Amino acid sequence: MTAAAYDPHAFVPFAVTVDLAVLTVRGGALHVLLIRRGQEPYEGAWALPGGFVLPRESAETAARRELAEETGLSEAVVAALHLEQLRTYSDPDRDPRMRVVSVAFTALVPDMPEPAAQGGGDAAQARWVPVGEAAGLAFDHGSILADARSRVGAKLEYTCLATGFCPPEFTLGELQSVYETVWGTALDRPNFRRKVLATPGFVEAVPGAARLTGGRGKPAALYRAGPATALHPPLLRPTEGHTR
């Protein structure tokens, strides 16, 4: 078929949206950035930031635009985010307004600022919410959030991302806490320590430095992030029902 013979009206039109699952660790708990919807459908419900892709923009451009508009985060903060495309959600009934296909993105980032108390666009409010409290989200955003948490959990298995959530000099206990927070499970301390120290380039000891961590034990040694970006071998999550 030639381009001239192509009839775009032969196909039912549908909209494309973007949704963003932006995660961070705050106060020892995994948080997700949510907006409270200011209009129907699902007015008053919490949802992931997102919106419709405009005719002349890419999905990633739309994702950054919607994130800035709905949360009030600065353009500099939004532009610096490393967004990873999660997957496409295309159930025919996922949006009550019309057929809508959504391209979802996720990011796990440290040191995220507070969003504006008053949201923009169709968002009445924006805030960080503990993932464990993010229930009853609008549309299929609960499924998107679950998929995002699984994806970022996997990134901790194969990359050195976890050190970015620690102070410049940290104990192995602090690093373990990041893994436990994101994975949602307790880890065996000696086993975790052994695996971290056996992974080339993951962490480097800070000579002569130590920190009291409470209790009567001796001060804990301090480490800093090593030069590696990927973990070989990976630091795998415990299988369900077990700790490592």
Side-chain angles (χ1 to χ4, degrees), residues 113-138:
E114 291 290 341
Q118 187 72 29
D122 60 1
Q125 183 183 359
R127 72 172 188 177
W128 291 103
V129 176
V131 168
E133 299 176 14
L137 300 183

Side-chain angles (χ1 to χ4, degrees), residues 153 156-157 176 179-180 182-189 191-192 195 234-244:
L156 261 63
E157 294 183 319
Q176 179 174 332
Y179 278 89
E180 292 178 332
V182 176
W183 287 349
T185 187
L187 301 175
D188 178 74
R189 183 175 177 274
N191 216 4
F192 178 82
K195 289 182 178 181
L235 188 64
L236 299 179
R237 276 175 284 190
T239 56
E240 187 174 351
H242 297 80
T243 59
R244 292 185 181 185

Side-chain angles (χ1 to χ4, degrees), residues 1-227:
M1 178 184 294
T2 65
Y6 175 75
D7 179 13
H9 301 291
F11 301 92
V12 177
F14 60 88
V16 177
T17 61
V18 289
D19 291 301
L20 296 104
V22 182
L23 301 162
T24 194
V25 177
R26 298 166 65 89
L30 186 65
H31 284 61
V32 60
L33 185 58
L34 297 181
I35 57 101
R36 189 185 294 277
R37 289 189 55 79
Q39 58 185 246
E40 294 292 349
Y42 301 104
E43 182 176 5
W46 289 101
L48 299 174
F52 289 90
V53 178
L54 300 179
R56 299 298 300 173
E57 67 180 354
S58 67
E60 183 168 335
T61 298
R64 296 185 189 276
R65 173 181 56 78
E66 286 286 347
L67 185 60
E69 289 177 0
E70 293 193 335
T71 67
L73 293 173
S74 71
E75 291 186 5
V77 169
V78 172
L81 286 181
H82 174 69
L83 297 179
E84 181 173 328
Q85 191 170 129
L86 181 61
R87 55 167 287 193
T88 300
Y89 295 81
S90 57
D91 188 290
D93 300 315
R94 61 178 303 274
D95 192 311
R97 294 168 292 189
M98 62 181 295
R99 179 75 193 275
V100 174
V101 173
S102 183
V103 181
F105 294 84
T106 189
L108 177 64
V109 287
D111 302 323
M112 285 294 289
E114 291 290 341
Q118 187 72 29
D122 60 1
Q125 183 183 359
R127 72 172 188 177
W128 291 103
V129 176
V131 168
E133 299 176 14
L137 300 183
F139 305 104
D140 54 356
H141 291 184
S143 296
I144 296 175
L145 177 56
D147 290 344
R149 183 170 185 178
S150 178
R151 172 70 65 84
V152 299
K155 287 186 73 68
L156 261 63
E157 294 183 319
Y158 295 94
T159 75
C160 301
L161 180 63
T163 59
F165 292 85
C166 295
E169 296 182 355
F170 51 85
T171 67
L172 293 185
E174 289 170 330
L175 181 62
Q176 179 174 332
S177 179
V178 174
Y179 278 89
E180 292 178 332
T181 297
V182 176
W183 287 349
T185 187
L187 301 175
D188 178 74
R189 183 175 177 274
N191 216 4
F192 178 82
R193 177 184 178 87
R194 176 180 58 81
K195 289 182 178 181
V196 169
L197 296 181
T199 303
F202 190 6
V203 298
E204 295 178 340
V206 179
R211 180 188 301 153
L212 287 171
T213 57
R216 299 181 179 180
K218 64 180 181 180
L222 293 181
Y223 297 82
R224 63 171 68 98

